[in-house]
Amino acid sequence: FHSINNIFFDSDNNIISKEEFYNKISDIGEVFIKPTRLRESGYARGCIIVKIIDGTDVYSNTSIKKIIETNYCNKDFLVQEKLISHKTFSEIYPKSVNTVSVTTLFFNNEIKVLNPILKIGAGGNIFDWNGFDKKGFIISMDKDGFLYDLAYSPNEKKWYSCHPDTGVVFKKYKIENLKKVLDAAIKMHSSVMRLPFCRWDFVVDEQGDAVVIENETPSCMLDQISYGEGFFGADTEEILSYLKNR
């Protein structure tokens, strides 16, 4: 369910009245609500989890109508099913939906995957790492899904060998179904070939399927911090030469 310019839509994208909207979500259970415009939702701003029973969020004991009209008045927003992470993600830290961030590059007539990174929540945060003022970690992994030795906390500017909340050791920890994520990233990029460079965030759900989440603000900074090398890796010299001579 979502709203655009104060027009309400059901899960099949049919226009419905505001009253129908509230009726349809009145017993929907646990869902995720977020603004859908980037400047209103970046770094998890305005994002909440609620459990709606009989028109009331049981977590805050507040009517869902009041929550929406207080937090999302005149804003575009959506109400979506809460994703449950695959166990290899939730075992590291279970309170957030931890995500894989993947960069794809179209170069020399080939789409390449660069530097997959796992973003992990921490310290009670219900989101993965999503800003320099937030608790959480980024960590590199190889393309078989094995994590590197150390995760970096941008908030603390410290490196960790294990997750402080769960004690899970990062070195050689295996993230399952990473190949599905990388294949999906390449497929997604093939639909926007006019863009040479894209960033995608993925969740691997409890069934092991890759679910894409948009990432509208790609940056090479996290990759270079996490991997400790040039953003384009072995292709750096060739790409810089290409750009210089254009």
Side-chain angles (χ1 to χ4, degrees), residues 7 11-12 14 18 25 44-45 50 68 75 87 98 106 116 125 147 169 180 184 197-198 213 222 229 240 244:
I7 300 171
S11 56
D12 295 316
N14 298 309
K18 182 185 288 190
I25 67 171
R45 288 189 298 267
V50 296
I68 289 176
K75 293 182 179 180
K87 64 180 181 180
N98 304 311
F106 180 57
N125 193 358
L147 300 185
V169 175
K180 287 186 177 181
F197 169 77
C198 297
I213 305 172
L222 297 182
E229 63 179 20
L240 292 180
K244 181 180 178 181

Side-chain angles (χ1 to χ4, degrees), residues 21 29 31-32 45 52 57 62 66 69 93 98 129 142 154 158 161 164 171 186 189 193 207 210 221 234:
F21 173 82
V31 290
F32 182 68
R45 288 189 298 267
I52 309 169
D57 170 34
T62 305
K66 182 176 181 180
E69 294 187 353
Y93 178 74
N98 304 311
W129 179 83
D142 65 28
K158 290 174 58 177
S161 61
K171 184 178 181 179
I186 291 172
H189 196 154
M193 296 295 283
Q207 284 77 40
M221 178 172 57

Side-chain angles (χ1 to χ4, degrees), residues 77-120:
F77 68 92
L78 62 80
V79 179
Q80 67 181 50
E81 177 185 357
K82 180 186 174 183
L83 289 170
I84 306 297
S85 297
H86 188 270
K87 64 180 181 180
T88 56
F89 288 74
S90 59
E91 284 175 356
I92 300 176
Y93 178 74
K95 293 185 178 180
S96 66
V97 177
N98 304 311
T99 60
V100 178
S101 187
V102 179
T103 300
T104 49
L105 174 72
F106 180 57
F107 185 68
N108 284 340
N109 297 320
E110 178 186 3
I111 299 173
K112 297 183 177 183
V113 172
L114 306 176
N115 309 336
I117 290 175
L118 181 64
K119 298 191 292 187
I120 312 165

